[in-house]
Amino acid sequence: MEWANAVIQGVLLGGLYALLATGLSLIFGVMRLVNLAHGDLGMLAAYVSVVIVSVAGIGPLESLVVVVPVMMVLGYVLQRSLLNFTLTGGVLPPLLVTFGLSVIIQNAQLTIFSADSQGLDAGPIEIASLPITDQITVGWLPLLTLVVAVAILIGLQLLISRTRLGRALRATSDDGEAARIVGIDSRHIYGIAMAIALGTVAIGGVFLGIRTTFGPGDGPARLIFAFEAVIIGGLGSLWGTLVGGVILGVAQTVGGQISPAYQVLAGHLVFLAVLLFRPTGLFSRRGARQL
């Protein structure tokens, strides 16, 4: 029963990883941009939530009403004012610019909030649980995290497959030059994609801040887990990101069941195994559109 509990907890943990990784997968699928500042932007969203909770006296979940729009505006402005100019120079410029952005965000957070760890208090839901059997209980907060991750993926899938904006995203993803010829402003579309990506990572950052403490330098560690989830599932595949997050979460909890020292290591080993046997990820479609 302990192993079954580890698997269930791993599936729930995978929901958090999927939340953190969905935006990363989306922007890679649309503009082939690897955002090294993605984890730091998630942490920035958690810090914004800390400020809003402190000023407005509301809970961190309620603060998402403000945090998500703020991060979406930041994403759009960031893409239009900075990242769009790096997309035509090959792979290296976006990597260097987003790495620099990561360093700036970390230092700004350190200066403003100090190196002390922060946490978001969501009240009784943090410890509330649903008993499944005598030996297995499911926490309401992890369950809510997984439900929100699935809901966001369904929403993104509907947006991409059934709306005019989704058609523009797919067209830009397929061939940006051809999309411009037919009148699609690809730079605007890229800005919207980044806004959506930061909106999703903002939700992930706040849920992470409720689940555990965080500090100014935690972004790169969160980026690694998000990368692993995306790569296991397949770069650019939204539903693959959820599967990748679940696989990573289960690997970590099962590894932790063997020994706490193996928890993170087990996830890395699964990641390396996928890279070895299927380098493009479990759900990638080589040469085909990912969105």
Side-chain angles (χ1 to χ4, degrees), residues 135-171:
Q135 300 181 31
I136 298 177
T137 59
V138 173
W140 280 110
L141 182 62
L143 184 60
L144 176 63
T145 306
L146 179 62
V147 170
V148 170
V150 173
I152 287 175
L153 286 169
I154 292 174
L156 283 177
Q157 190 63 55
L158 292 174
L159 172 73
I160 290 169
S161 62
R162 299 189 180 183
T163 67
R164 185 174 182 178
L165 173 60
R167 288 193 292 274
L169 285 168
R170 283 181 286 153

CSV table of all heavy atoms in Angstrom, one decimal, residues 135-171:
chain,number,residue,atom,x,y,z
A,135,GLN,N,-4.9,3.7,4.7
A,135,GLN,CA,-3.4,4.1,4.6
A,135,GLN,C,-3.1,5.1,3.5
A,135,GLN,O,-2.0,5.6,3.4
A,135,GLN,CB,-2.6,2.8,4.3
A,135,GLN,CG,-2.7,1.8,5.4
A,135,GLN,CD,-1.9,0.6,5.1
A,135,GLN,OE1,-0.8,0.7,4.5
A,135,GLN,NE2,-2.3,-0.6,5.5
A,136,ILE,N,-4.1,5.5,2.7
A,136,ILE,CA,-3.9,6.5,1.7
A,136,ILE,C,-4.8,7.7,1.8
A,136,ILE,O,-6.0,7.5,1.9
A,136,ILE,CB,-4.1,5.8,0.3
A,136,ILE,CG1,-3.1,4.7,0.1
A,136,ILE,CG2,-3.9,6.9,-0.8
A,136,ILE,CD1,-3.3,4.0,-1.2
A,137,THR,N,-4.2,8.9,1.9
A,137,THR,CA,-5.0,10.1,1.9
A,137,THR,C,-4.5,11.0,0.8
A,137,THR,O,-3.3,11.0,0.4
A,137,THR,CB,-4.9,10.8,3.2
A,137,THR,OG1,-3.5,11.1,3.5
A,137,THR,CG2,-5.5,10.0,4.3
A,138,VAL,N,-5.4,11.8,0.2
A,138,VAL,CA,-5.0,12.7,-0.9
A,138,VAL,C,-5.2,14.1,-0.4
A,138,VAL,O,-6.3,14.5,0.1
A,138,VAL,CB,-5.9,12.4,-2.1
A,138,VAL,CG1,-5.6,13.5,-3.2
A,138,VAL,CG2,-5.6,11.1,-2.7
A,139,GLY,N,-4.2,14.9,-0.4
A,139,GLY,CA,-4.3,16.3,0.0
A,139,GLY,C,-5.2,17.1,-1.0
A,139,GLY,O,-5.1,17.0,-2.2
A,140,TRP,N,-6.0,18.0,-0.4
A,140,TRP,CA,-6.9,18.8,-1.3
A,140,TRP,C,-6.1,19.8,-2.1
A,140,TRP,O,-6.4,20.0,-3.3
A,140,TRP,CB,-7.9,19.5,-0.4
A,140,TRP,CG,-9.1,18.7,0.0
A,140,TRP,CD1,-9.4,18.2,1.2
A,140,TRP,CD2,-10.1,18.2,-0.9
A,140,TRP,NE1,-10.5,17.5,1.2
A,140,TRP,CE2,-11.0,17.5,-0.1
A,140,TRP,CE3,-10.4,18.3,-2.2
A,140,TRP,CZ2,-12.2,16.8,-0.6
A,140,TRP,CZ3,-11.5,17.7,-2.8
A,140,TRP,CH2,-12.4,17.0,-2.0
A,141,LEU,N,-5.0,20.3,-1.5
A,141,LEU,CA,-4.2,21.3,-2.3
A,141,LEU,C,-3.5,20.6,-3.5
A,141,LEU,O,-3.6,21.1,-4.6
A,141,LEU,CB,-3.2,22.0,-1.4
A,141,LEU,CG,-2.3,23.0,-2.1
A,141,LEU,CD1,-3.2,24.2,-2.6
A,141,LEU,CD2,-1.2,23.5,-1.1
A,142,PRO,N,-2.8,19.5,-3.3
A,142,PRO,CA,-2.3,18.8,-4.5
A,142,PRO,C,-3.3,18.4,-5.5
A,142,PRO,O,-3.1,18.5,-6.7
A,142,PRO,CB,-1.6,17.6,-3.9
A,142,PRO,CG,-1.3,17.9,-2.5
A,142,PRO,CD,-2.4,18.8,-2.1
A,143,LEU,N,-4.5,17.9,-5.0
A,143,LEU,CA,-5.6,17.6,-5.9
A,143,LEU,C,-6.1,18.8,-6.7
A,143,LEU,O,-6.3,18.7,-7.9
A,143,LEU,CB,-6.7,16.9,-5.1
A,143,LEU,CG,-7.9,16.4,-5.9
A,143,LEU,CD1,-7.4,15.3,-6.9
A,143,LEU,CD2,-9.0,15.9,-5.0
A,144,LEU,N,-6.2,19.9,-6.0
A,144,LEU,CA,-6.6,21.1,-6.7
A,144,LEU,C,-5.6,21.6,-7.7
A,144,LEU,O,-5.9,22.0,-8.8
A,144,LEU,CB,-6.8,22.3,-5.7
A,144,LEU,CG,-7.2,23.6,-6.2
A,144,LEU,CD1,-8.5,23.6,-6.9
A,144,LEU,CD2,-7.2,24.7,-5.1
A,145,THR,N,-4.3,21.4,-7.4
A,145,THR,CA,-3.2,21.7,-8.3
A,145,THR,C,-3.3,20.9,-9.6
A,145,THR,O,-3.2,21.4,-10.7
A,145,THR,CB,-1.9,21.5,-7.7
A,145,THR,OG1,-1.8,22.2,-6.4
A,145,THR,CG2,-0.7,22.0,-8.6
A,146,LEU,N,-3.6,19.6,-9.5
A,146,LEU,CA,-3.7,18.7,-10.6
A,146,LEU,C,-4.9,19.1,-11.5
A,146,LEU,O,-4.9,19.2,-12.7
A,146,LEU,CB,-3.8,17.3,-10.2
A,146,LEU,CG,-3.9,16.2,-11.3
A,146,LEU,CD1,-2.7,16.3,-12.3
A,146,LEU,CD2,-4.1,14.8,-10.7
A,147,VAL,N,-6.0,19.4,-10.8
A,147,VAL,CA,-7.3,19.8,-11.5
A,147,VAL,C,-7.0,21.1,-12.3
A,147,VAL,O,-7.5,21.2,-13.4
A,147,VAL,CB,-8.4,19.9,-10.5
A,147,VAL,CG1,-9.6,20.5,-11.2
A,147,VAL,CG2,-8.8,18.5,-9.9
A,148,VAL,N,-6.4,22.0,-11.6
A,148,VAL,CA,-6.1,23.3,-12.3
A,148,VAL,C,-5.2,23.1,-13.5
A,148,VAL,O,-5.4,23.7,-14.6
A,148,VAL,CB,-5.5,24.3,-11.3
A,148,VAL,CG1,-5.0,25.5,-12.1
A,148,VAL,CG2,-6.5,24.7,-10.3
A,149,ALA,N,-4.2,22.2,-13.4
A,149,ALA,CA,-3.3,22.0,-14.5
A,149,ALA,C,-4.1,21.3,-15.7
A,149,ALA,O,-3.9,21.8,-16.8
A,149,ALA,CB,-2.2,21.0,-14.1
A,150,VAL,N,-4.9,20.4,-15.4
A,150,VAL,CA,-5.7,19.8,-16.5
A,150,VAL,C,-6.7,20.8,-17.1
A,150,VAL,O,-6.8,20.8,-18.3
A,150,VAL,CB,-6.5,18.5,-15.9
A,150,VAL,CG1,-7.4,18.0,-17.0
A,150,VAL,CG2,-5.5,17.4,-15.5
A,151,ALA,N,-7.3,21.6,-16.3
A,151,ALA,CA,-8.2,22.6,-16.8
A,151,ALA,C,-7.5,23.6,-17.7
A,151,ALA,O,-8.0,24.0,-18.8
A,151,ALA,CB,-8.9,23.4,-15.6
A,152,ILE,N,-6.3,24.0,-17.3
A,152,ILE,CA,-5.5,24.9,-18.1
A,152,ILE,C,-5.2,24.3,-19.5
A,152,ILE,O,-5.2,24.9,-20.5
A,152,ILE,CB,-4.3,25.4,-17.4
A,152,ILE,CG1,-4.6,26.4,-16.3
A,152,ILE,CG2,-3.2,26.1,-18.3
A,152,ILE,CD1,-3.5,26.8,-15.4
A,153,LEU,N,-4.8,23.0,-19.4
A,153,LEU,CA,-4.4,22.4,-20.7
A,153,LEU,C,-5.6,22.2,-21.6
A,153,LEU,O,-5.5,22.3,-22.8
A,153,LEU,CB,-3.8,21.0,-20.4
A,153,LEU,CG,-2.3,21.1,-19.8
A,153,LEU,CD1,-1.9,19.7,-19.3
A,153,LEU,CD2,-1.4,21.5,-20.9
A,154,ILE,N,-6.8,21.9,-21.0
A,154,ILE,CA,-8.0,21.8,-21.8
A,154,ILE,C,-8.3,23.1,-22.4
A,154,ILE,O,-8.6,23.2,-23.6
A,154,ILE,CB,-9.2,21.3,-21.0
A,154,ILE,CG1,-8.9,19.8,-20.6
A,154,ILE,CG2,-10.5,21.4,-21.7
A,154,ILE,CD1,-10.0,19.3,-19.6
A,155,GLY,N,-8.2,24.2,-21.6
A,155,GLY,CA,-8.4,25.5,-22.1
A,155,GLY,C,-7.5,25.9,-23.3
A,155,GLY,O,-7.9,26.5,-24.3
A,156,LEU,N,-6.2,25.6,-23.1
A,156,LEU,CA,-5.2,25.9,-24.1
A,156,LEU,C,-5.5,25.1,-25.4
A,156,LEU,O,-5.4,25.6,-26.5
A,156,LEU,CB,-3.8,25.6,-23.6
A,156,LEU,CG,-3.2,26.7,-22.7
A,156,LEU,CD1,-1.8,26.2,-22.2
A,156,LEU,CD2,-3.1,28.0,-23.4
A,157,GLN,N,-5.9,23.8,-25.2
A,157,GLN,CA,-6.2,23.0,-26.4
A,157,GLN,C,-7.4,23.6,-27.2
A,157,GLN,O,-7.4,23.6,-28.4
A,157,GLN,CB,-6.5,21.6,-25.9
A,157,GLN,CG,-6.6,20.6,-27.0
A,157,GLN,CD,-5.2,20.4,-27.8
A,157,GLN,OE1,-4.2,20.2,-27.2
A,157,GLN,NE2,-5.2,20.6,-29.1
A,158,LEU,N,-8.4,24.0,-26.4
A,158,LEU,CA,-9.6,24.6,-27.1
A,158,LEU,C,-9.2,25.9,-27.8
A,158,LEU,O,-9.7,26.2,-28.9
A,158,LEU,CB,-10.7,24.8,-26.1
A,158,LEU,CG,-11.3,23.5,-25.5
A,158,LEU,CD1,-12.3,23.9,-24.4
A,158,LEU,CD2,-12.0,22.7,-26.6
A,159,LEU,N,-8.4,26.7,-27.1
A,159,LEU,CA,-7.9,28.0,-27.6
A,159,LEU,C,-7.2,27.7,-29.0
A,159,LEU,O,-7.4,28.4,-30.0
A,159,LEU,CB,-7.0,28.7,-26.6
A,159,LEU,CG,-6.3,30.0,-27.2
A,159,LEU,CD1,-7.3,31.1,-27.3
A,159,LEU,CD2,-5.2,30.4,-26.2
A,160,ILE,N,-6.3,26.8,-29.0
A,160,ILE,CA,-5.5,26.5,-30.1
A,160,ILE,C,-6.2,25.9,-31.3
A,160,ILE,O,-6.0,26.2,-32.4
A,160,ILE,CB,-4.3,25.7,-29.7
A,160,ILE,CG1,-3.3,26.5,-28.8
A,160,ILE,CG2,-3.5,25.1,-30.9
A,160,ILE,CD1,-2.3,25.6,-28.1
A,161,SER,N,-7.2,25.0,-30.9
A,161,SER,CA,-7.9,24.3,-32.0
A,161,SER,C,-9.1,24.9,-32.5
A,161,SER,O,-9.6,24.6,-33.6
A,161,SER,CB,-8.2,22.9,-31.5
A,161,SER,OG,-9.0,22.9,-30.4
A,162,ARG,N,-9.8,25.8,-31.7
A,162,ARG,CA,-11.1,26.3,-32.1
A,162,ARG,C,-11.3,27.8,-32.2
A,162,ARG,O,-12.4,28.3,-32.3
A,162,ARG,CB,-12.1,25.7,-31.1
A,162,ARG,CG,-12.2,24.2,-31.1
A,162,ARG,CD,-13.3,23.7,-30.3
A,162,ARG,NE,-13.3,22.2,-30.3
A,162,ARG,CZ,-14.3,21.5,-29.7
A,162,ARG,NH1,-15.3,22.1,-29.1
A,162,ARG,NH2,-14.2,20.2,-29.7
A,163,THR,N,-10.2,28.5,-32.0
A,163,THR,CA,-10.3,30.0,-32.1
A,163,THR,C,-9.5,30.6,-33.2
A,163,THR,O,-8.5,30.0,-33.7
A,163,THR,CB,-10.0,30.6,-30.7
A,163,THR,OG1,-8.6,30.5,-30.5
A,163,THR,CG2,-10.7,30.0,-29.6
A,164,ARG,N,-9.8,31.8,-33.5
A,164,ARG,CA,-9.0,32.5,-34.5
A,164,ARG,C,-7.6,32.8,-34.0
A,164,ARG,O,-6.6,32.6,-34.8
A,164,ARG,CB,-9.7,33.9,-34.8
A,164,ARG,CG,-9.0,34.7,-35.9
A,164,ARG,CD,-9.9,35.9,-36.3
A,164,ARG,NE,-9.3,36.6,-37.4
A,164,ARG,CZ,-9.8,37.7,-37.9
A,164,ARG,NH1,-10.9,38.2,-37.4
A,164,ARG,NH2,-9.2,38.4,-38.9
A,165,LEU,N,-7.5,33.1,-32.8
A,165,LEU,CA,-6.1,33.3,-32.2
A,165,LEU,C,-5.3,32.0,-32.3
A,165,LEU,O,-4.1,32.0,-32.6
A,165,LEU,CB,-6.2,33.8,-30.7
A,165,LEU,CG,-4.9,33.8,-29.9
A,165,LEU,CD1,-3.9,34.8,-30.6
A,165,LEU,CD2,-5.2,34.2,-28.5
A,166,GLY,N,-6.0,30.9,-32.0
A,166,GLY,CA,-5.4,29.6,-32.1
A,166,GLY,C,-4.9,29.3,-33.5
A,166,GLY,O,-3.8,28.8,-33.7
A,167,ARG,N,-5.7,29.6,-34.5
A,167,ARG,CA,-5.2,29.4,-35.9
A,167,ARG,C,-4.0,30.3,-36.2
A,167,ARG,O,-3.1,29.8,-36.9
A,167,ARG,CB,-6.4,29.7,-36.8
A,167,ARG,CG,-7.5,28.7,-36.8
A,167,ARG,CD,-8.4,28.9,-38.0
A,167,ARG,NE,-9.2,30.1,-37.9
A,167,ARG,CZ,-10.3,30.2,-37.2
A,167,ARG,NH1,-10.9,29.2,-36.6
A,167,ARG,NH2,-11.0,31.4,-37.2
A,168,ALA,N,-4.0,31.5,-35.6
A,168,ALA,CA,-2.8,32.4,-35.9
A,168,ALA,C,-1.6,31.8,-35.2
A,168,ALA,O,-0.5,31.8,-35.7
A,168,ALA,CB,-3.1,33.8,-35.3
A,169,LEU,N,-1.8,31.2,-34.0
A,169,LEU,CA,-0.7,30.6,-33.2
A,169,LEU,C,-0.1,29.4,-34.0
A,169,LEU,O,1.1,29.3,-34.2
A,169,LEU,CB,-1.1,30.2,-31.9
A,169,LEU,CG,-1.3,31.3,-30.8
A,169,LEU,CD1,-2.0,30.7,-29.6
A,169,LEU,CD2,0.0,31.9,-30.4
A,170,ARG,N,-1.0,28.6,-34.6
A,170,ARG,CA,-0.6,27.4,-35.3
A,170,ARG,C,0.1,27.9,-36.6
A,170,ARG,O,1.2,27.3,-37.0
A,170,ARG,CB,-1.8,26.5,-35.6
A,170,ARG,CG,-2.2,25.7,-34.4
A,170,ARG,CD,-3.4,24.8,-34.8
A,170,ARG,NE,-4.6,25.6,-34.9
A,170,ARG,CZ,-5.6,25.3,-35.7
A,170,ARG,NH1,-5.6,24.2,-36.4
A,170,ARG,NH2,-6.7,26.0,-35.7
A,171,ALA,N,-0.4,28.9,-37.3
A,171,ALA,CA,0.2,29.3,-38.5
A,171,ALA,C,1.5,29.9,-38.3
A,171,ALA,O,2.5,29.6,-39.0
A,171,ALA,CB,-0.7,30.4,-39.2
